């Protein structure tokens, strides 16, 4: 039975999509059958693994509107690589209109959860890439998830908005998903030469304590390059610091959840 983890931060540019793609690939490399759901209308996670967003016949948009099953949208990416264990349910700009269309449905906050329940037994991990907003799509992702992974950029305004996100998570627990846990806070875009990065990292660790992952994702040119080649970093440049960071994160995640070590 899959553990469902949504990657959320309403602030854009903090490394949500990068984390979903590269953590999913690293889990697949560790022999964990992993599906990620691209729940962001920008569809960057889809193109990041080589999916042509403009040629999709079915996407997660069709699933939450009840026009297709989740299984019908799932694609096995790189079947000859990563043990054949990496899968994606892609999205594109069609998803932009979903929030308005969802208003007509009863239990609109549960649409994604209901879809995921139909495939949960087929995977070890399911990750959800959320849009950079606390929207109805994000509420669906939080309602569908067992836990939340929150990327925090090591820059001056990093902590802005985290209070609002915490309030949203608290409301979701009260009204929709009482079992929702914090998987962890992930420090991203860390530059050891920058004093502000050290300051923000220390502040986050002091405030959130053991909820902060030990793994820190450093600034890395290869991380920025790999999406344009439609590959996660582990396939684009396995020796790069970023690939090592995300393999370490996968290792930490597995150890936290099942005591396994890659």
């Amino acid at each position: 039975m899959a553990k469902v983890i949504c990657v959320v931060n309403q602030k854009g540019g903090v490394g949500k999509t990068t984390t979903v793609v590269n953590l999913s690939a690293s889990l697949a490399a560790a022999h964990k059958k992993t599906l990620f759901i691209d729940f962001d209308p920008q569809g960057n996670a889809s193109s990041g693994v080589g999916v042509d967003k403009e040629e999709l016949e079915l996407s997660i948009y069709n699933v939450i509107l009840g026009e297709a099953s989740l299984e019908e949208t799932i694609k096995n990416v790189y079947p000859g690589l990563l043990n054949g264990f990496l899968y994606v349910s892609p999205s594109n700009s069609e998803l932009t209109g979903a929030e308005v269309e969802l208003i007509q449905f009863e239990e609109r906050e549960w649409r994604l959860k209901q879809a995921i329940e139909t495939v949960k037994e087929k995977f070890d991990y399911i990750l959800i890439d959320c849009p950079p907003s606390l929207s109805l799509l994000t509420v669906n992702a939080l309602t569908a998830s067992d836990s939340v992974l929150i990327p925090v950029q090591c820059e001056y305004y990093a902590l802005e908005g985290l209070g609002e996100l915490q309030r949203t998570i608290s409301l979701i627990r009260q009204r929709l998903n009482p079992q929702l846990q914090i998987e962890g806070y992930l420090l991203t875009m860390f530059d050891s030469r920058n004093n502000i990065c050290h300051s923000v990292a220390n502040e986050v660790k002091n405030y959130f304590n053991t909820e902060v992952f030990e793994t820190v994702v450093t600034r890395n040119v290869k991380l920025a390059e790999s999406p344009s080649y439609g590959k996660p970093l582990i396939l684009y440049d396995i020796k790069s610091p970023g690939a090592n960071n995300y393999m370490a994160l996968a290792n930490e995640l597995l150890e936290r959840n099942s005591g396994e070590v890659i």
Side-chain angles (χ1 to χ4, degrees):
M1 181 75 75
K3 179 166 191 179
V4 184
I5 304 171
C6 63
V7 181
V8 178
N9 191 325
Q10 75 271 31
K11 189 174 185 293
V14 300
K16 286 190 303 296
T17 298
T18 298
T19 294
V20 168
V21 170
N22 288 285
L23 177 56
S24 296
S26 297
L27 289 169
H31 293 87
K32 298 299 176 185
K33 194 173 181 183
T34 305
L35 165 68
F36 74 82
I37 297 172
D38 189 351
F39 214 46
D40 184 342
Q42 296 176 84
N44 290 336
S46 302
S47 56
V49 291
V51 173
D52 187 341
K53 298 180 291 187
E54 307 311 316
E55 297 297 323
L56 294 176
E57 292 183 10
L58 293 172
S59 70
I60 193 66
Y61 166 79
N62 302 102
V63 175
I64 61 167
L65 291 187
E67 299 169 354
S69 68
L70 181 55
E71 190 162 15
E72 287 178 287
T73 70
I74 292 173
K75 298 177 181 293
N76 182 203
V77 288
Y78 320 118
L81 301 168
L82 300 174
N83 305 302
F85 279 1
L86 184 61
Y87 296 78
V88 59
S89 174
S91 78
N92 55 25
S93 58
E94 278 189 325
L95 192 58
T96 304
E99 296 211 47
V100 175
E101 294 175 79
L102 278 171
I103 292 171
Q104 66 183 298
F105 293 104
E106 293 184 9
E107 298 187 332
R108 63 186 69 87
E109 300 90 349
W110 301 84
R111 304 290 291 183
L112 184 59
K113 181 178 179 65
Q114 291 163 355
I116 287 174
E117 290 296 327
T118 65
V119 301
K120 223 175 174 182
E121 292 185 0
K122 299 182 178 181
F123 297 95
D124 297 306
Y125 285 91
I126 298 174
L127 275 64
I128 307 171
D129 187 24
C130 295
S133 63
L134 297 179
S135 61
L136 185 53
L137 293 179
T138 302
V139 169
N140 259 266
L142 290 167
T143 303
S145 297
D146 299 307
S147 65
V148 187
L149 192 158
I150 304 167
V152 182
Q153 187 179 5
C154 291
E155 292 194 356
Y156 185 71
Y157 293 111
L159 299 180
E160 279 196 0
L162 282 184
E164 186 181 353
L165 177 56
Q166 287 180 308
R167 285 190 293 275
T168 299
I169 291 170
S170 179
L171 285 170
I172 295 292
R173 283 173 174 157
Q174 290 172 34
R175 301 177 184 179
L176 297 167
N177 186 2
Q179 283 76 44
L180 185 64
Q181 301 293 316
I182 300 294
E183 190 68 42
Y185 292 83
L186 175 66
L187 294 166
T188 63
M189 303 180 188
F190 183 81
D191 184 344
S192 60
R193 301 165 298 179
N194 190 320
N195 289 333
I196 290 178
C197 283
H198 288 281
S199 177
V200 169
N202 289 334
E203 193 171 350
V204 171
K205 288 175 182 177
N206 288 336
Y207 192 81
F208 295 111
N209 300 308
T210 57
E211 290 184 331
V212 182
F213 286 103
E214 291 181 18
T215 302
V216 176
V217 179
T218 56
R219 278 199 177 276
N220 181 246
V221 172
K222 299 293 184 180
L223 269 177
E225 288 178 356
S226 59
S228 64
Y229 290 86
K231 294 180 179 179
L233 200 51
I234 196 172
L235 296 181
Y236 179 63
D237 187 352
I238 195 170
K239 295 181 179 179
S240 68
N244 289 330
N245 293 159
Y246 279 106
M247 283 301 293
L249 178 62
N251 191 45
E252 193 173 349
L253 185 72
L254 291 172
E255 192 170 9
R256 284 188 179 195
N257 283 280
S258 56
E260 295 179 66
V261 177
I262 299 172

